Amino acid sequence: ERNTDGEKSKIVVMYDYNEYAMKNSPPTQLVKKLLYNLRDHWPERLEHVFVVDAPFIFRAFWAVIKHFIDPITKDLVQFVTGEEMKRKVFSEIVSEEHATPWMLAEGKNAEDADMQKYLRDIPFDYAYGEKFSDPI
């Protein structure tokens, strides 16, 4: 929002399942809590959800549950698979400077994600990896 002078104010969520293994799965309760929080505290703020390189089981599960989800919400979810599709989809919404290599092959943000730091210490309107100076 800050980078676009208020022109854009919605959230884009990307789930990267490259090199996914069941042992890395978040607990079901955590996923449910996330979905409830998005619904209850951020209504109409979600612009898009990208599920990247998801295993077949995720696509099969989605094929079943999408019929029970609100049509507007359902239309926000998009599965993205392969480098060509990633380039087509993500190059329109993420700059090479902010993109990680799993988003765009030429992405320049190769730093490992420290989600604890991002979720707790970085202001909401900053992109992950964007330079932030703490005013303290």
Side-chain angles (χ1 to χ4, degrees), residues 126 130-136:
Y126 279 73
E130 185 176 356
K131 300 300 179 216
F132 167 70
S133 13
D134 195 343
I136 295 176

Side-chain angles (χ1 to χ4, degrees), residues 23-109:
K23 68 179 180 180
N24 300 331
S25 294
T28 305
Q29 286 303 108
L30 180 66
V31 174
K32 283 174 74 174
K33 187 174 182 176
L34 171 67
L35 294 174
Y36 289 139
N37 280 333
L38 285 172
R39 180 195 69 197
D40 296 341
H41 301 290
W42 303 99
E44 305 300 322
R45 295 280 295 195
L46 187 61
E47 182 173 326
H48 216 97
V49 175
F50 295 103
V51 183
V52 182
D53 293 330
F56 171 77
I57 192 72
F58 283 68
R59 292 188 303 272
F61 181 68
W62 177 250
V64 172
I65 68 162
K66 70 180 181 181
H67 303 290
F68 302 101
I69 297 175
D70 176 74
I72 293 171
T73 303
K74 178 175 61 175
D75 290 343
L76 300 179
V77 177
Q78 180 179 355
F79 284 77
V80 179
T81 304
E83 294 304 318
E84 186 176 322
M85 189 172 189
K86 285 189 235 181
R87 188 173 297 107
K88 179 181 178 191
V89 172
F90 296 144
S91 65
E92 296 177 14
I93 61 171
V94 181
S95 69
E96 286 182 15
E97 178 185 337
H98 290 122
T100 61
W102 65 263
M103 292 176 196
L104 297 171
E106 53 279 342
K108 295 183 181 10
N109 187 0

